[in-house]
């Protein structure tokens, strides 16, 4: 990925991801300057846990400052990273495990890697609060595991999630959605899903499980080596809402077939 800083704008290009768009955003108003997750008020560092907590407080009438991070009240918060290309591990050691829920309109913009620790810890890397609008740009979400659903992004509060120019790699769910579980709106642009999986019944959607009546859009996105009982890459169980897949590539995704033999090596549409 490449980053360009204009007078008051941030431009990100992700040439390594097929069809990834260039993104033009205002400069981040919250800068995370450490890969540690300690929420230590005395270290003069703003970590990702503190940044998301500050966003929560700013959206609920509390102080917009939490330790060393300050969020914007009444507007979009853009979280950037001065530790470009670093890896933030969730859960970290110590008192802080899962990150705070994402609230309000929040953009997380890399390049940065947010990683789980495999099957040694049951966790979700990013979780959305009710009505949130989360945009993830140029971020790697990898190696997360949960006994439930959606270890990389868990969005069960009818939130809106957009993932742009990012990689979701090696995530695993015991239930549905090997990488992402959503019952709201989900938009994917120029993103890659690689070797994500579900393991237990019903095990639907090796990369993505979509429920609810929100919209689903996959544009210029690749799905490689994802596996599930049904819907090797994507499982759509949506009673309403538009779904579209364009300029996307599915390679070597597979199913073991669930009890109903639904199959769907690439995509299963239950409606």
């Amino acid at each position: 990925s490449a980053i360009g800083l204009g007078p008051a704008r941030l431009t990100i290009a992700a040439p390594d991801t097929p069809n990834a768009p260039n993104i033009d955003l205002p400069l981040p108003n919250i800068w995370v300057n450490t890969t540690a997750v300690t929420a230590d008020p005395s270290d003069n560092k703003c970590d990702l846990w503190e940044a998301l907590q500050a966003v929560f407080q700013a959206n609920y009438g509390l102080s917009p400052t939490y330790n060393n991070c300050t969020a914007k009240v009444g507007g979009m918060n853009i979280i950037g990273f001065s530790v470009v290309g670093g890896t933030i591990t969730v859960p970290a050691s110590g008192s802080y495990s899962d990150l705070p829920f994402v609230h309000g309109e929040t953009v997380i913009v890399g390049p940065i890697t947010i990683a789980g620790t495999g099957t040694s810890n049951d966790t979700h890397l990013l979780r959305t609060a009710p009505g949130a609008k989360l945009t993830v740009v140029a971020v790697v979400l990898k190696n997360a595991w949960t006994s439930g659903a959606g270890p990389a992004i868990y969005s069960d509060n009818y939130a809106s999630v957009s993932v742009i120019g990012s990689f979701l790699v090696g995530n695993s769910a015991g239930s549905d959605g090997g990488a992402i579980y959503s019952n709201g709106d989900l938009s994917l642009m120029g993103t890659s899903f690689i070797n994500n999986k579900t393991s237990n019944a019903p095990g639907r959607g090796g990369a993505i499980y979509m429920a609810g009546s929100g919209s689903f859009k996959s544009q210029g996105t690749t799905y490689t080596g994802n596996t599930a009982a049904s819907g090797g890459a994507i499982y759509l169980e949506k009673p309403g809402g538009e779904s579209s897949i364009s300029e996307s590539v599915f390679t070597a995704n597979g199913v073991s077939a669930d009890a109903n033999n639904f199959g769907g090596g690439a995509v299963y549409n239950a409606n």
Side-chain angles (χ1 to χ4, degrees):
S1 300
I3 294 181
L5 295 177
R9 307 291 295 182
L10 175 67
T11 301
I12 298 178
D16 298 331
T17 306
N19 302 312
N22 291 339
I23 306 299
D24 185 32
L25 293 167
L27 289 174
N29 60 291
I30 305 174
W31 285 98
V32 171
N33 55 10
T34 177
T35 58
V37 180
T38 61
D40 182 353
S42 64
D43 65 359
N44 294 317
K45 300 285 187 180
C46 174
D47 67 39
L48 184 55
W49 202 101
E50 293 170 315
L52 290 172
Q53 181 66 19
V55 171
F56 157 69
Q57 294 182 180
N59 276 274
Y60 286 89
L62 304 173
S63 169
T65 298
Y66 183 80
N67 290 353
N68 301 291
C69 303
T70 300
K72 183 187 298 183
V73 176
M76 177 172 62
N77 280 284
I78 302 178
I79 300 174
F81 299 85
S82 63
V83 284
V84 170
T87 297
I88 296 171
T89 300
V90 178
S93 59
S95 302
Y96 296 91
S97 54
D98 279 2
L99 297 171
F101 282 82
V102 176
H103 291 263
E105 186 175 2
T106 300
V107 180
I108 299 175
V109 56
I112 196 72
T113 296
I114 304 174
T117 55
T119 56
S120 61
N121 287 290
D122 193 332
T123 191
H124 300 89
L125 300 181
L126 296 172
R127 303 170 294 165
T128 57
K133 183 177 181 181
L134 168 65
T135 302
V136 176
V137 184
V139 175
V140 177
L141 300 173
K142 71 174 188 178
N143 202 32
W145 170 81
T146 179
S147 57
I153 299 176
Y154 185 68
S155 180
D156 73 336
N157 288 307
Y158 307 102
S160 174
V161 175
S162 297
V163 184
I164 303 168
S166 296
F167 291 84
L168 290 85
V169 182
N171 302 290
S172 178
S175 180
D176 297 322
I180 296 177
Y181 176 100
S182 173
N183 67 358
D185 296 325
L186 178 61
S187 175
L188 310 167
M189 296 178 63
T191 288
S192 293
F193 292 82
I194 303 168
N195 295 338
N196 303 286
K197 66 180 182 179
T198 62
S199 54
N200 298 327
R204 298 167 293 188
I208 297 161
Y209 176 85
M210 279 287 297
S213 297
S215 64
F216 172 70
K217 179 180 180 181
S218 172
Q219 179 181 354
T221 290
T222 63
Y223 303 85
T224 306
N226 303 288
T227 57
S230 55
I234 300 171
Y235 192 102
L236 301 176
E237 192 168 23
K238 292 163 27 56
E242 180 182 357
S243 297
S244 67
I245 298 174
S246 62
E247 299 179 307
S248 296
V249 178
F250 296 82
T251 306
N253 302 286
V255 295
S256 58
D258 64 11
N260 297 304
N261 294 314
F262 285 157
V267 180
Y268 185 87
N269 186 3
N271 297 291

